[in-house]
Amino acid sequence: MIPVMHLDADVRGILESLPDLAGYGAAAPMLPAACYTSPEFFEFERRHVFTRSWICVGRQEQIPAPGDYLTPKIGDEPLLVVRREDGSIGAMSAVCQHRGQVIATEPGSAGRAFRCPLHFWRYDLEGSLVAATRIDDDAIHDCLRDTVRLPVVRLENWHGFLFVTLDEDAAPLGPGLAKLEPFWEGYEDADLVAVPPTMSDTPLPWNWKIHAENFTDAYHPEFVHVGTHDFAPSIHPDGGVEITPMTAGDNAIVRTVPLLRPDGGMMEDGWGPEAEFPAIETLSAEQRSHVTFAMIPPGMTIIFAPGAVSYQLIGAIGVEATLASNDRVTAGGWLLPRSTFEAEDFEERAAAVRAGGKKIWVQDIPVNLGVQSGKKSRFAPDGRHYMPLETTLEQFNAWLLRMYHAAWKAIA
Ligand code: FES
Ligand SMILES: [Fe+2]
């Protein structure tokens, strides 16, 4: 159940100025600048869009043993994502059903049961109440145990990535990501090891959509990333970027670019021929000569490169405050063959990959600041001038439009 809020007049005005949904399954015009600058609109997104989306909260390897849990927060909802006794993974509310204490806010291990810190009620790993304290009457205790449980939240495990949604009616995650399946081919035959990232705790001073657009924009690398991205060009005489078509049910925005030589990847100076993470032998020749950038809005990006899958989690905490976990700001966010991970020089190679990623990142910072700043201008453009290489941005607009309209309809 999603709480209904009074729709702020400014938010209503922005929603009313959005294009109709009809005709925009695959691509949509630029959205009003206020979608990037209005704190009220961000609050609408936080409470009504993110809560209706599938959000990646981590990897299954982060909770290997029964009782291990993560503590994501979606919108205002603190959650527990836990490995149960039978090895399956489930999600539920972290709010104790006695008086509403949040049971845990940091990841950890609960053993066989969660214990609420306020009055020590205990819940098993499925969320059922197993013990309340100081109740002498067995009948009352039994009744509580039969009726009290932590509300269940939907979770899907997609290639080891754990996604949750608070929307009981959300379409299943898997079909919305079907267009990414071909890119997984061969990776999971390589005995992958997950190196989860750390979420940065320093907010980036721009809107989460600007962060996502920067990731998915195939037009800017040749200008902004001179020297670091030339090896993975969007334009190439033998065929440049390929943008996977978008349909109305898609939850992914995908582009694939060629590498100038097979088996290239991230080096200390950015994309280059001598990848620090060696190419994965189970990949096809096609995969070993391309890199695919996929955005899974609103909270995740993933890159399929010849030597690694790398991913980033994005957490929006304010209209101009975005947290990111990636191998550019923090560390990790990789799926790597065990042979890569266990190599003696792994730490040096990982440091070089981070350095390369950071060089790209440092080039992106001023342009993200510039775009955020431009959104506040009375002269902010209305987006009539998208170029062909910006199809992914129009696809992202279509996704946003769909989510905004759905949220608006649900609370109107
Ligand atoms: S609020 Fe959790 S036991 Fe009382
Ligand atoms: Fe960039």
Side-chain angles (χ1 to χ4, degrees):
M1 227 177 335
I2 295 164
V4 173
M5 74 168 185
H6 170 69
L7 205 49
D8 179 275
D10 290 348
V11 175
R12 184 175 295 277
I14 295 168
L15 290 171
E16 285 170 351
S17 73
L18 292 176
D20 278 344
L21 257 185
Y24 290 126
M30 188 181 284
L31 301 179
C35 295
Y36 298 76
T37 59
S38 157
E40 293 77 18
F41 193 78
F42 174 74
E43 189 60 13
F44 163 77
E45 286 182 319
R46 193 176 71 81
R47 295 186 62 180
H48 299 288
V49 176
F50 301 155
T51 50
R52 281 187 173 77
S53 308
W54 285 99
I55 309 272
C56 180
V57 298
R59 287 281 309 174
Q60 61 186 8
E61 295 86 351
Q62 292 173 263
I63 44 174
D68 291 351
Y69 65 88
L70 302 172
T71 51
K73 198 169 181 192
I74 310 290
D76 288 328
E77 295 296 343
L79 303 178
L80 300 168
V81 171
V82 60
R83 176 84 64 172
R84 303 184 185 117
E85 301 278 1
D86 65 359
S88 65
I89 296 173
M92 52 205 179
S93 168
V95 177
C96 177
Q97 295 300 293
H98 172 224
R99 286 239 319 272
Q101 170 73 34
V102 175
I103 291 171
T105 55
E106 296 292 332
S109 178
R112 304 195 68 162
F114 290 97
R115 189 178 74 179
C116 177
L118 189 50
H119 310 102
F120 284 15
W121 283 24
R122 292 171 68 238
Y123 298 87
D124 68 18
L125 303 181
E126 308 278 339
S128 295
L129 182 72
V130 287
T133 42
R134 294 277 183 241
I135 297 178
D136 298 331
D137 186 320
D138 285 350
I140 293 176
H141 202 194
D142 287 350
C143 176
L144 282 174
R145 281 197 302 205
D146 287 348
T147 54
V148 175
R149 61 157 301 123
L150 300 174
V152 173
V153 171
R154 289 175 68 191
L155 177 143
E156 281 200 37
N157 186 334
W158 181 75
H159 295 279
F161 291 102
L162 306 174
F163 284 78
V164 297
T165 182
L166 293 167
D167 185 357
E168 290 156 18
D169 301 319
L173 173 72
L177 300 183
K179 72 201 236 188
L180 283 172
E181 290 308 319
F183 299 105
W184 277 109
E185 199 101 347
Y187 277 97
E188 286 164 312
D189 300 330
D191 188 18
L192 294 180
V193 172
V195 184
T198 310
M199 189 62 104
S200 168
D201 54 10
T202 307
L204 303 162
W206 48 74
N207 187 266
W208 70 276
K209 297 186 288 298
I210 286 171
H211 195 83
E213 287 169 5
N214 176 262
F215 173 87
T216 205
D217 173 7
Y219 190 25
H220 81 290
E222 72 169 308
F223 311 112
V224 172
H225 297 306
V226 173
T228 59
H229 219 299
D230 313 323
F231 189 78
S234 294
I235 295 177
H236 190 271
D238 298 335
V241 63
E242 279 184 34
I243 295 172
T244 308
M246 181 86 168
T247 62
D250 279 350
N251 252 314
I253 290 153
V254 185
R255 81 181 195 276
T256 300
V257 296
L259 295 173
L260 294 185
R261 293 227 305 267
D263 295 350
M266 192 54 66
M267 301 171 55
E268 198 166 359
D269 288 325
W271 296 105
E274 309 287 338
E276 293 291 346
F277 294 152
I280 298 171
E281 286 171 8
T282 49
L283 301 183
S284 67
E286 179 81 0
Q287 287 169 305
R288 289 171 69 158
S289 58
H290 290 84
V291 58
T292 293
F293 298 83
M295 172 166 60
I296 303 177
M300 183 181 184
T301 65
I302 183 166
I303 300 173
F304 297 88
V309 174
S310 73
Y311 65 98
Q312 170 190 213
L313 303 182
I314 302 170
I317 59 170
V319 65
E320 294 182 30
T322 301
L323 298 177
S325 86
N326 59 25
D327 52 2
R328 304 184 293 187
V329 179
T330 61
W334 298 313
L335 305 183
L336 301 164
R338 190 173 300 279
S339 54
T340 299
F341 181 67
E342 292 181 349
E344 273 184 14
D345 58 355
F346 172 69
E347 288 303 332
E348 288 156 46
R349 287 175 178 272
V353 169
R354 276 201 297 280
K358 195 166 182 180
K359 286 199 173 105
I360 295 174
W361 175 238
V362 165
Q363 294 167 329
D364 277 324
I365 291 172
V367 294
N368 284 347
L369 289 168
V371 174
Q372 180 71 49
S373 183
K375 292 286 186 194
K376 294 178 195 162
S377 165
R378 71 187 66 191
F379 305 118
D382 61 7
R384 272 174 295 178
H385 305 301
Y386 278 126
M387 297 289 120
L389 287 176
E390 296 174 292
T391 300
T392 47
L393 279 90
E394 295 175 289
Q395 293 180 344
F396 182 40
N397 293 341
W399 184 91
L400 289 165
L401 205 54
R402 185 195 339 147
M403 297 303 290
Y404 291 159
H405 275 288
W408 186 17
K409 193 170 152 198
I411 61 178

